[in-house]
Amino acid sequence: MKRNLISLLDITKEEFFTILDLAARLKAERRAGTFKPYLNRQSLGMIFEKSSTRTRISFEVGMHELGGTALFLSPDDMQIGRGESIADTARVMSRFVSAVMIRAFSHETIEEFARYASVPVINGLSDREHPCQILADVMTIRERFEKLDNLRVAWIGDGNNVCHSIILSAIYTGYEVCIACPKEFMPDAAVIEIAQARGANIVLCDTPGEAAKGADVVITDTWVSMGDEQEEALRREIFKPYQINSELMDLAKPDAVALHCLPAHRGDEITNEVMDGAQSAIWDEAENRLHAQKALILWILNKI
């Protein structure tokens, strides 16, 4: 039976931690200069509707280090950009590659592709979730605190796809997620309901200060995601009080860390002082995309 990761809900708690444990092992192997050809002659097709830095590099370098090959595929260079159906594209690609990663505007695009593909499919980002990012985030949090349960994780800003995945991750991690978003940009209530029904501790806060108070982790994302450019001016005005700065970090615990999935708009959602300061774990978080993606590929291809 093929494995997919379209949503964090596609995996169990045991599988979630299997991937994280493997990511830690692969990180140690890489630092020791050990590269095992786990995926000799395996290939990953990567479809990018949206531009990318970390997602493309982590999957492409990851496949290389695992002994496999990654193919960068833009819709402009494929027949799907000229009207070939998602279903037909999925059927054809399944004859060529071992797995497919898709970074798409619409979550439904990835779901449809997975229905017709006979190989595993990974959600590299959609408008609903970003499970790959959250694997790296949780890996980083666990490295810093050597635990996940009983932590307080504060999300500050837009209730977007990354926020949704942070909410769903609480089903497995045991940490409390405290969310501070403008009322116009709250996360999908259905996502919160699903997480709470499965035991996640999700708290909706009225202000960023309320969410950050006593937090172990303070997370944000850009105020203007790809596809939101038409309302950029409005978003910047509404989100001004939702900046992660030194004053907000002072409300968190003394050993709290700041995370940002990047790219960051310095001076908007986060200040230079926090990004480059002692409490920033952002660069470890970015690096961990590579290790988490390598582990995910091995798990999804059942090569563990």
Side-chain angles (χ1 to χ4, degrees), residues 192-216:
I192 296 174
E193 290 172 6
I194 290 169
Q196 290 177 328
R198 295 183 57 173
N201 186 4
I202 311 298
V203 179
L204 300 180
C205 300
D206 293 328
T207 66
E210 182 184 344
K213 186 176 181 180
D216 300 279

Side-chain angles (χ1 to χ4, degrees), residues 2-5 99 120-122 295-302:
K2 74 163 181 165
R3 294 170 167 175
N4 294 320
L5 184 65
V121 176
I122 297 170
L296 173 58
I297 295 166
L298 289 181
W299 174 81
I300 214 161
L301 290 174
N302 201 23

Side-chain angles (χ1 to χ4, degrees), residues 21 43 46 53 69 90 213 215 218 245 276 286-287 291:
D21 291 343
S43 56
M46 307 186 301
T53 298
T69 301
K213 186 176 181 180
V218 184
N245 49 40
D276 300 324
E287 177 193 339
H291 312 302

Side-chain angles (χ1 to χ4, degrees), residues 73-111:
L73 304 166
S74 165
D76 292 337
D77 301 322
M78 302 170 64
Q79 295 299 335
I80 197 171
R82 299 179 62 247
E84 185 170 38
S85 71
I86 294 171
D88 288 352
T89 303
R91 292 184 180 105
V92 170
M93 286 187 65
S94 296
R95 300 296 182 104
F96 296 135
V97 300
S98 308
V100 176
M101 186 282 299
I102 311 179
R103 186 175 172 90
F105 284 96
S106 171
H107 194 79
E108 286 71 25
T109 296
I110 304 177
E111 290 179 324

Side-chain angles (χ1 to χ4, degrees), residues 224-287:
V224 186
S225 299
M226 287 177 285
D228 296 328
E229 292 83 1
Q230 70 278 4
E231 48 184 36
E232 180 173 348
L234 172 65
R235 281 174 169 266
R236 288 184 185 279
E237 186 63 31
I238 290 175
F239 281 107
K240 277 183 181 178
Y242 292 81
Q243 181 187 75
I244 294 184
N245 49 40
S246 296
E247 291 75 18
L248 193 69
M249 291 302 297
D250 285 344
L251 298 174
K253 291 181 180 177
D255 62 345
V257 297
L259 296 180
H260 190 310
C261 65
L262 303 176
H265 294 80
R266 290 169 176 258
D268 285 344
E269 71 272 7
I270 192 168
T271 61
N272 289 332
E273 189 175 12
V274 174
M275 275 201 74
D276 300 324
Q279 289 181 288
S280 173
I282 292 169
W283 314 115
D284 291 336
E285 177 188 15
E287 177 193 339

